[in-house]
Amino acid sequence: MGKNAYFQLVHKTNKTMLKVFPASKDGEMFSVEEVMKYLEVINFGDVDMVSLHNYLNKADFRVEFMLAKKDVLPEDGKSVTRIEDQGERAVTRFYPPSTSGKKLSREEIISDLNRAGIVHGIRQDVIDEFIMNPEYCRDYVVAVATPPVQGHDATIEYHFDINATAKPKLNADGSVDFHQLGNIKPVQVGEKLATLTPADRGKAGINVTGAPLPPNKVVVKVLRYGRNITISEDKCELYSQVAGHITLVDDMVMVSDVYEVPANVDASTGDIDYNGTVVVTGNVNTGYAIHAEGDIVVQGVVEGATLVAGGNIVLKRGMQGMNRGSLDASGNITAKFIENSKVRCNGTLMCDAVLHSDVESNGKIAILGKKGLINGGHVRSYTDIAATQLGSTMGISTVVEILSDVDLIKTQNEVGERVEEVTDTLEQINIVLINIKRSIAKGNQITSEQERYLKMAAVKKPKLEKQIADMEAQYSSLQTVIESAKKVSIKVENIVNPGVKIIIKDVARIINDDVSRCRFVLEGADIKILGY
């Protein structure tokens, strides 16, 4: 690389000359403005700038240019420093001493830098390079800033599909399935919902003047969330407190154990499979299904649909099942009316009218109210049945039955035996775990077989404990039903029409004449009609 051209003041008798040293190879030529600036720095006085400009442009430097017809005091070497890029670096250009002056020392250069405000990041190696092999009218980067440590934006990772849309499934035969739309995002208790990686604001650097050099601004985020959600102590993780469904609204995570359908359950929603409570504002159309681990509440009418609830079912208007609709509730069922439907209920069934339906309940059945009518079909329970009216003058086949508790007792015994089996299995696991922990406590190293057993137990124990709890709850529920089945009756407030068949624990009686305000009870091998 060539050297830049430079200039020097030359002292002669009664005059001061400017000597130019041309550039070598690809070195650069200095400008007239640079010469004028230098002369201004040393307070040289007025110079014919036009003549100087013409001299430099002519580029014949064999003859020196006369700056002034006077002799001036010697000038030592000079440095002119500028600060660039908002203090990220300092650049110095050096000028040679006049012919009677002296060169700059290292200490003088540093002192000049300090006077220019340069106090940080001074490059001693560059100064040494200039001292050893000086080049003039050349840029030397004599100081550089300590750069800031750049941070990064905060990021949030959502552990659920935030882009799910209700799209129908295309079947293999080319038809479109509007039942499985996938528009519910289920969530379990304790499930991690979101993880925040906090913003790193970085670390400020120092510019060449000693001032802080701030890092780039970063985007700061926080986890926003609604009810039923727990946030970790470090505010970086969200967990669900309930089983339900999750939504993201304007970067706010929301979990609800109640899924609200604002209109009908139809092709726009598909089937609903939800691990909480489902509330339907409109109707449930024929052919669609709702499965909920909680309750199901329908404000409108249920047509030929399937409703299965782990809790209660409430139909504000009722159900017209069209001989294809069904209700199945682990809790109670309450409805305005039920017609042409199949119904299974573990709790109490309450309704204004049951028409032409197949109904079975482990709990009481109360068909009361203004109509209180059971007409057509087969209605049966393990305990009391109460109605305002049974059958009709049309003589439609109507069967009202109190089931025998023999099957319930058998089922309860089977559940009890299964509880004992699972409890024994759990106890055996606990014994092995205790022995392993004692061995570890004595300082023994865990074997690979013991490690595999610990991993197996960590998975299996919670499942067995839940299984036992569920079966004990079932056993208790069966016991309640069995106790209530000891003294049962079929009670009618108004009238029992001819043709109605009454069955109590396998004993049957067909009503041939109107009977009003009565109770049907089993006495021995006969069904007796008693007063209301």
Side-chain angles (χ1 to χ4, degrees):
M1 181 178 177
K3 294 185 177 181
N4 290 350
Y6 68 95
F7 56 87
Q8 181 185 29
L9 294 186
V10 177
H11 300 284
K12 291 190 175 182
T13 304
N14 298 323
K15 57 184 174 181
T16 303
M17 310 299 290
L18 181 75
K19 183 176 182 179
V20 175
F21 296 84
S24 65
K25 295 183 181 180
D26 56 348
E28 297 178 355
M29 179 60 183
F30 55 84
S31 67
V32 65
E33 287 79 14
E34 185 171 5
V35 178
M36 298 302 293
K37 186 174 181 180
Y38 169 78
L39 295 175
E40 182 181 346
V41 169
I42 64 173
N43 297 313
F44 187 83
D46 294 335
V47 173
D48 186 347
M49 185 174 177
V50 174
S51 298
L52 177 60
H53 188 272
N54 292 335
Y55 171 76
L56 295 177
N57 282 343
K58 187 177 180 182
D60 182 5
F61 302 130
R62 290 172 298 177
V63 178
E64 297 170 352
F65 178 79
M66 187 172 65
L67 289 173
K69 292 181 179 180
K70 62 178 180 177
D71 196 5
V72 296
L73 294 175
E75 290 291 343
D76 296 337
K78 289 287 184 292
S79 65
V80 176
T81 301
R82 65 183 184 272
I83 297 173
E84 296 183 346
D85 300 329
Q86 297 180 328
E88 291 190 8
R89 67 178 191 165
V91 178
T92 296
R93 288 176 79 90
F94 294 99
Y95 300 96
S98 66
T99 50
S100 300
K102 62 178 182 178
K103 292 182 179 181
L104 284 170
S105 68
R106 180 183 294 103
E107 291 73 18
E108 287 172 328
I109 293 172
I110 293 175
S111 178
D112 287 346
L113 291 176
N114 292 160
R115 281 196 297 271
I118 314 301
V119 296
H120 178 80
I122 296 175
R123 299 176 64 185
Q124 298 287 349
D125 58 330
V126 173
I127 295 173
D128 289 341
E129 177 192 343
F130 171 76
I131 296 294
M132 296 295 295
N133 184 25
E135 291 185 35
Y136 300 107
C137 295
R138 165 198 157 183
D139 286 347
Y140 283 87
V141 179
V142 293
V144 292
T146 299
V149 177
Q150 300 297 344
H152 58 74
D153 294 344
T155 59
I156 297 177
E157 178 186 5
Y158 296 104
H159 303 294
F160 56 92
D161 185 3
I162 63 174
N163 299 311
T165 56
K167 294 181 179 179
K169 177 185 175 184
L170 184 64
N171 296 323
D173 60 3
S175 62
V176 177
D177 182 1
F178 285 95
H179 290 268
Q180 304 299 324
L181 298 183
N183 53 351
I184 297 177
K185 308 178 191 80
V187 64
Q188 303 299 325
V189 176
E191 184 174 335
K192 185 189 288 187
L193 309 178
T195 300
L196 168 69
T197 301
D200 180 352
R201 297 179 184 272
K203 182 181 179 181
I206 305 173
N207 73 10
V208 296
T209 66
L213 199 58
N216 296 334
K217 290 185 178 180
V218 296
V219 177
V220 178
K221 296 182 180 179
V222 295
L223 290 172
R224 300 179 65 235
Y225 59 98
R227 296 185 305 109
N228 303 320
I229 294 176
T230 299
I231 191 166
S232 59
E233 288 186 8
D234 60 5
K235 310 297 184 185
C236 290
E237 292 177 334
L238 296 180
Y239 295 89
S240 178
Q241 293 177 342
V242 299
H245 72 284
I246 186 168
T247 54
L248 184 66
V249 181
D250 294 333
D251 79 4
M252 176 174 283
V253 181
M254 303 178 71
V255 170
S256 174
D257 51 0
V258 177
Y259 181 69
E260 297 185 11
V261 182
N264 298 335
V265 175
D266 52 21
S268 67
T269 63
D271 294 341
I272 294 174
D273 191 347
Y274 186 59
N275 54 7
T277 292
V278 176
V279 177
V280 180
T281 303
N283 304 327
V284 183
N285 289 1
T286 298
Y288 288 90
I290 301 176
H291 290 78
E293 292 187 13
D295 300 337
I296 297 176
V297 179
V298 181
Q299 304 287 349
V301 175
V302 179
E303 298 177 353
T306 300
L307 274 61
V308 180
N312 306 315
I313 293 177
V314 178
L315 309 182
K316 296 295 183 69
R317 293 181 62 185
M319 180 171 190
Q320 173 50 269
M322 306 176 188
N323 291 320
R324 61 181 293 186
S326 65
L327 303 176
D328 190 334
S330 297
N332 305 322
I333 293 178
T334 304
K336 193 73 175 176
F337 69 90
I338 296 173
E339 185 173 355
N340 293 310
S341 304
K342 183 177 181 179
V343 180
R344 296 293 180 265
C345 177
N346 265 354
T348 297
L349 172 65
M350 298 182 65
C351 190
D352 283 356
V354 175
L355 308 174
H356 313 290
S357 295
D358 182 4
V359 177
E360 181 175 326
S361 176
N362 284 352
K364 293 181 179 181
I365 295 178
I367 313 300
L368 302 170
K370 191 173 182 180
K371 288 186 177 180
L373 173 64
I374 299 176
N375 185 28
H378 192 169
V379 176
R380 53 201 181 276
S381 170
Y382 284 98
T383 183
D384 294 331
I385 298 175
T388 302
Q389 179 179 336
L390 300 182
S392 70
T393 56
M394 302 296 291
I396 297 171
S397 176
T398 303
V399 179
V400 180
E401 178 181 3
I402 293 179
L403 297 165
S404 171
D405 58 3
V406 173
D407 290 339
L408 287 179
I409 294 171
K410 181 181 177 181
T411 300
Q412 186 188 40
N413 290 335
E414 291 173 352
V415 171
E417 291 172 0
R418 181 63 182 148
V419 168
E420 292 180 0
E421 292 173 5
V422 177
T423 301
D424 288 342
T425 301
L426 183 60
E427 288 178 352
Q428 290 300 319
I429 291 175
N430 285 331
I431 289 172
V432 176
L433 290 178
I434 290 171
N435 290 334
I436 292 175
K437 290 178 180 178
R438 285 175 177 171
S439 176
I440 295 173
K442 291 179 181 179
N444 297 326
Q445 190 172 2
I446 188 171
T447 67
S448 58
E449 182 179 355
Q450 288 174 328
E451 186 176 0
R452 284 194 298 272
Y453 195 91
L454 289 172
K455 291 179 179 178
M456 178 277 296
V459 175
K460 194 170 183 179
K461 267 192 69 176
K463 293 181 178 179
L464 292 177
E465 289 168 348
K466 185 178 186 305
Q467 194 175 352
I468 291 171
D470 291 344
M471 289 189 296
E472 286 178 342
Q474 183 185 5
Y475 188 94
S476 177
S477 176
L478 289 168
Q479 182 63 35
T480 301
V481 175
I482 292 168
E483 289 295 328
S484 63
K486 291 179 179 179
K487 294 181 179 181
V488 293
S489 67
I490 298 173
K491 190 175 182 180
V492 183
E493 284 188 356
N494 193 354
I495 189 170
V496 182
N497 289 288
V500 173
K501 186 176 183 179
I502 302 294
I503 303 175
I504 301 179
K505 298 185 178 181
D506 300 326
V507 178
R509 177 171 177 170
I510 297 176
I511 304 304
N512 296 315
D513 300 305
D514 291 350
V515 182
S516 298
R517 293 185 62 78
C518 63
R519 288 185 300 124
F520 297 93
V521 297
L522 182 64
E523 289 188 3
D526 294 323
I527 293 176
K528 298 291 186 180
I529 302 177
L530 305 177
Y532 186 80

